[in-house]
Amino acid sequence: MAGSEAFERLNQKQLEAAQFGSGPLLIIAGAGTGKTNTLAHRVAHLVLGGATPDRILLLTFTRRAALEMTRRTQRIVSDVIKDVRLPWSGTFHSVANRLIRRHSATVGLDETFSVLDRGDAADLMDVLRHELGFSKTEKRFPRKDTCLAIYSHRVNTQKSLADTLDGLFPWCAEWEAPLTTLYRAYVDKKLENQALDYDDLLLYWHAMMSDDALAADIASQFDYILVDEYQDTNVLQADILMRLRRNGEGVTVVGDDAQAIYAFRAATVDNILGFPEQYTPELGRAASVVTLEENYRSTQGVLDAANALIAEGQRQYRKVLKAHRGTGCRPRYVTVSDDQNQAEYVVERVLDAREQGVPLKRQAVLFRSSHHSDVLELELTRRNIPYVKYGGLKFLEAAHVKDMLAVLRWADNPKNRIAAFRALQLLPGMGPSTAEQLLGVFQARGYSWTTLGDFRPPAGLADAWAPFAGLMQGLAKTEGPWQGQVGHVREWFEPHLERIYDAAQIRMGDLVQLERLSQQFATRDQFLAELALDPPQATGDNAGAPYLDEDYLVLSTVHSAKGQEWDAVYILNVADGNFPSEFSTGRSDQIEEERRLLYVAMTRAKNELHLIAPLKYYVTSQPRMGDRHVYGAKSRFLTASVMSQLDSIVWPNQHETPHAAAPHRSRVDVSAKLRHLWS
């Protein structure tokens, strides 16, 4: 095959997977075994073999992953084919958005329907919660984010509401009937506004695939279907894939059951574990399984411990990772007295590694829950060590970003009452009642933008109204390139930004970034949908002081660390109650996911791995009166087999004291001095 020299760097199993035939294929890609590289080579193999790129459907879990896959594919085939584009590469939700717009009339939607981001969906849920009187119940009704989480989990697992409440939200079980009423109102309001939320995109795609004629039409667009991170798919996504290609012809899925850690997002490990059983000779073709076990990330010492941990799991694809990089040092199991000593140990080791030539940013501290790093963060601040913590506000959660997007979303979908209500109230003197009055007239006149020009605003609003009405009427025009519209909205918004918010210049940087992002998209609806489905992470709204050093330590939850790697990894609180979490010990499947979570944390390490176990934890839910603490129990995952792969130490010992320890002083008898005052 032309371009075959590009495949010479693959190992035997990677090559087998990349050059596999057209039947259903499952690639079990262990941690660090080159999953992305293998999948990119598989796409390249198909293209070099004559497959038409625009008939390849590549489903990933982030837009960035799709872009990276396309970039690697282009590099592999560049000597033979100069310009390869994969127009159908993207996330499940972004592809669903495109397909729904293409068939919008068939499913009863306007082509200009809006996609609500999580924040807007929660706000709409809250409005309805209040309108239905649930916010004033005698016993506290679930908050908007909880209501949305219940709705999302029920939709994506396809379980009943009762089962969802019983399994994951038992404290909300008494509200089953009111929640049902709320969700019916939520669905009706979205349809009225011609708006879909994140979960609706999969629901609509799934419903479209339930219609035989429409399913055949959609499936006929693609010759090959490839799915990345298949262990993270939910019931709806797996069913969509099955209906796209019932006989499995041209289907490739890639993933690792040992890294399935997103059940709280409704993902199910059963999809990847049951994949081979879905395709049998009776249905067309039996599925093949290729397992990648050669690890290019970690040394064998790290892998021996991880292998021992995962080997004791239950139902799984058995694999033994082998290091390409050699033996390396054994991981450490470090016992410390409490969380303060844990923080001091981490700081000492991080600084020692830095002195040995490992930059701070090549080291990471991982933890089960975000608050577990609180004491460490205080110690890092005290020692003037810069760090970045993954989590917090997403870009779209910043109020000023939501404001500007509301203007664009209303222009894109005049029926989007949520966006309209927010956009109108950016104007000085425009209160909720005036906005409601205007929107009522706007709806009655068939959502005609000329309504804005005819509107007679109150006296305090007159000066600001004409520029806004002109802006919206201009945005409604469809001729010409759309990208300049973001600049027009930004220029209009600038004086209002300065009036409404502090630190307007910092916030303006986010809006300039929005304008730059818009240049990458061919249409406005594509820009708005992609931004809602795969938002950037950074925002000036929660930016702290600038780093004094270009180097910084990485702090991250394990869930946020998946897919990353560092030279040295420190895992906090490796004890029962955290690994596994005390909230996940009720069912065997939850305990198994907790085992996989620790496995993911361990396999992020390239060279050094430290598992740290405090002997006692202070009870943070109560005031520290005296020595309020509980003793930690050894993690049930650290069996004799796992411990045999670790070096156990107690820190500090007589040869190793914390850097911050106070110098020894003789005792000062203050009580004697006090008594002497009254002698």
Side-chain angles (χ1 to χ4, degrees):
M1 175 187 293
S4 59
E5 63 277 1
F7 293 79
E8 293 175 358
R9 290 185 294 274
L10 301 182
N11 64 42
Q12 182 179 351
K13 285 295 184 179
Q14 289 175 331
L15 186 63
E16 179 184 347
Q19 297 185 341
F20 187 81
S22 60
L25 172 65
L26 168 61
I27 304 173
I28 296 295
T33 57
K35 169 182 69 68
T36 301
N37 193 42
T38 302
L39 188 57
H41 276 81
R42 172 127 185 88
V43 176
H45 171 75
L46 296 174
V47 173
L48 291 171
T52 305
D54 60 7
R55 293 186 61 79
I56 295 176
L57 175 60
L58 175 59
L59 296 167
T60 63
F61 271 78
T62 67
R63 181 169 169 267
R64 291 175 295 281
L67 292 173
E68 174 64 12
M69 205 72 69
T70 301
R71 186 186 66 80
R72 291 197 188 196
T73 301
Q74 289 173 337
R75 189 184 69 238
I76 296 166
V77 304
S78 60
D79 291 341
V80 180
I81 305 173
K82 293 304 178 185
D83 188 22
V84 173
R85 299 186 182 279
L86 299 171
W88 286 98
S89 65
T91 66
F92 269 94
H93 293 84
S94 65
V95 169
N97 175 58
R98 291 178 62 187
L99 290 172
I100 295 167
R101 289 190 192 279
R102 178 172 289 190
H103 300 281
S104 57
T106 305
V107 296
L109 290 171
D110 294 344
E111 189 178 356
T112 58
F113 70 83
S114 300
V115 178
L116 302 177
D117 62 42
R118 293 288 190 187
D120 287 340
D123 288 344
L124 176 58
M125 190 78 74
D126 203 33
V127 169
L128 296 170
R129 177 177 170 271
H130 181 72
E131 287 180 357
L132 292 168
F134 298 150
S135 60
K136 297 179 180 179
T137 54
E138 184 175 338
K139 294 180 66 176
R140 187 167 66 87
F141 193 76
R143 294 180 182 274
K144 63 178 183 178
D145 291 324
T146 302
C147 292
L148 187 62
I150 295 169
Y151 175 87
S152 179
H153 203 277
R154 183 257 182 271
V155 164
N156 285 294
T157 60
Q158 294 290 284
K159 293 181 179 179
S160 68
L161 179 57
D163 287 343
T164 300
L165 294 173
D166 181 60
L168 285 172
F169 304 90
W171 62 93
C172 301
E174 64 181 297
W175 299 108
E176 181 184 350
L179 283 170
T180 300
T181 301
L182 174 63
Y183 296 147
R184 284 174 182 158
Y186 177 63
V187 170
D188 289 342
K189 183 62 71 173
K190 285 185 296 180
L191 291 174
E192 178 186 328
N193 290 337
Q194 284 292 298
L196 303 185
D197 66 20
Y198 192 75
D199 301 309
D200 290 332
L201 294 171
L202 288 186
L203 275 178
Y204 268 77
W205 191 5
H206 185 264
M208 288 159 62
M209 299 307 295
S210 300
D211 180 89
D212 290 341
L214 189 52
D217 183 23
I218 294 172
S220 67
Q221 295 178 226
F222 309 113
D223 296 326
Y224 296 94
I225 304 168
L226 302 95
V227 185
D228 193 14
E229 303 286 8
Y230 193 63
Q231 79 279 351
D232 295 334
T233 54
N234 59 38
V235 172
L236 282 176
Q237 290 163 326
D239 202 32
I240 288 169
L241 179 63
M242 171 60 74
R243 297 181 187 203
L244 278 170
R245 196 70 85 246
R246 293 186 182 277
N247 64 3
E249 188 70 20
V251 172
T252 299
V253 301
V254 186
D256 182 9
D257 56 298
Q259 298 185 68
I261 60 173
Y262 291 117
F264 69 94
R265 294 182 186 169
T268 172
V269 70
D270 290 337
N271 286 348
I272 193 167
L273 292 175
F275 182 84
E277 285 73 46
Q278 290 182 336
Y279 300 103
T280 63
E282 292 76 22
L283 292 175
R285 301 280 293 275
S288 299
V289 180
V290 176
T291 303
L292 309 182
E293 296 178 296
E294 188 168 355
N295 179 287
Y296 294 89
R297 174 187 300 153
S298 307
T299 55
Q300 194 62 49
V302 172
L303 296 182
D304 285 343
N307 285 334
L309 171 71
I310 205 65
E312 297 183 349
Q314 297 177 2
R315 185 180 171 212
Q316 62 178 283
Y317 292 101
R318 298 289 172 181
K319 67 185 81 66
V320 179
L321 300 182
K322 308 175 193 68
H324 185 76
R325 298 180 52 234
T327 304
C329 59
R330 285 160 60 91
R332 277 183 162 191
Y333 175 71
V334 186
T335 303
V336 296
S337 62
D338 57 17
D339 49 6
Q340 181 60 45
N341 262 5
Q342 175 173 246
E344 291 168 356
Y345 173 82
V346 170
V347 169
E348 290 298 313
R349 289 303 165 197
V350 163
L351 293 177
D352 284 347
R354 191 188 193 197
E355 290 301 311
Q356 298 299 318
V358 183
L360 292 180
K361 66 174 61 176
R362 296 303 312 151
Q363 305 182 63
V365 183
L366 306 183
F367 30 85
R368 178 67 179 77
S369 300
S370 182
H371 66 86
H372 288 174
S373 66
D374 289 350
V375 175
L376 175 61
E377 291 180 57
L378 291 174
E379 186 67 14
L380 291 170
T381 301
R382 190 182 71 79
R383 302 280 288 272
N384 200 29
I385 299 173
Y387 68 90
V388 61
K389 183 175 180 180
Y390 288 105
L393 283 178
K394 286 185 170 62
F395 188 80
L396 291 183
E397 292 171 349
H400 56 289
V401 175
K402 292 175 71 70
D403 289 342
M404 191 162 119
L405 287 174
V407 176
L408 290 164
R409 284 180 172 141
W410 188 25
D412 201 57
N413 175 11
K415 295 180 181 178
N416 189 337
R417 200 178 186 90
I418 304 159
F421 199 66
R422 184 174 193 125
L424 285 169
Q425 291 187 85
L426 296 175
L427 299 168
M430 175 68 78
S433 59
T434 305
E436 283 288 357
Q437 177 187 349
L438 171 61
L439 290 175
V441 176
F442 185 59
Q443 180 178 358
R445 294 180 58 174
Y447 303 98
S448 170
W449 292 108
T450 59
T451 306
L452 303 189
D454 298 337
F455 178 67
R456 295 294 174 261
L461 181 58
D463 291 341
W465 181 255
F468 178 73
L471 173 72
M472 296 308 300
Q473 290 171 333
L475 294 176
K477 297 176 181 177
T478 57
E479 62 271 12
W482 84 275
Q483 287 92 342
Q485 294 179 0
V486 183
H488 293 321
V489 176
R490 180 181 57 77
E491 291 168 3
W492 167 83
F493 188 38
E494 185 169 2
H496 299 287
L497 184 74
E498 294 172 349
R499 173 177 54 83
I500 298 170
Y501 296 107
D502 296 327
Q505 286 303 112
I506 295 175
R507 296 172 187 268
M508 182 55 69
D510 289 335
L511 305 186
V512 171
Q513 181 64 18
L514 266 184
E515 188 175 354
R516 290 173 182 160
L517 282 171
S518 70
Q519 305 300 320
Q520 303 174 19
F521 297 89
T523 63
R524 183 172 61 195
D525 62 82
Q526 184 186 4
F527 166 68
L528 293 171
E530 286 291 338
L531 203 61
L533 299 175
D534 193 16
Q537 299 296 313
T539 169
D541 208 24
N542 69 328
Y547 293 121
L548 301 177
D549 193 327
E550 64 181 12
D551 199 12
Y552 50 82
L553 180 66
V554 175
L555 275 57
S556 175
T557 63
V558 181
H559 285 101
S560 296
K562 186 169 175 289
Q564 306 297 313
E565 60 182 41
W566 294 274
D567 290 341
V569 169
Y570 311 84
I571 307 176
L572 304 185
N573 301 328
V574 184
D576 252 37
N578 295 313
F579 291 100
S581 166
E582 61 183 312
F583 303 110
S584 301
T585 56
R587 301 201 315 257
S588 61
D589 62 319
Q590 292 177 330
I591 293 175
E592 287 307 305
E593 175 150 330
E594 292 290 307
R595 183 194 307 278
R596 297 193 294 266
L597 190 67
L598 181 56
Y599 175 82
V600 166
M602 293 169 66
T603 53
R604 300 311 94 197
K606 297 175 68 176
N607 302 320
E608 286 190 35
L609 175 62
H610 304 252
L611 283 68
I612 312 169
L615 292 175
K616 60 185 177 183
Y617 298 86
Y618 288 98
V619 182
T620 56
S621 60
Q622 302 176 18
R624 288 199 184 186
M625 299 175 59
D627 190 19
R628 290 291 183 93
H629 63 269
V630 295
Y631 285 97
K634 188 174 182 179
S635 171
R636 69 191 70 184
F637 298 143
L638 299 183
T639 62
S641 174
V642 177
M643 291 300 296
S644 70
Q645 305 299 331
L646 306 173
D647 285 339
S648 297
I649 69 167
V650 177
W651 192 90
N653 57 39
Q654 63 270 27
H655 303 297
E656 189 170 24
T657 56
H659 178 82
H664 176 72
R665 301 180 188 276
S666 60
R667 182 175 180 180
V668 178
D669 193 350
V670 177
S671 60
K673 293 179 180 293
L674 292 175
R675 292 190 185 97
H676 181 70
L677 290 173
W678 305 101
S679 59

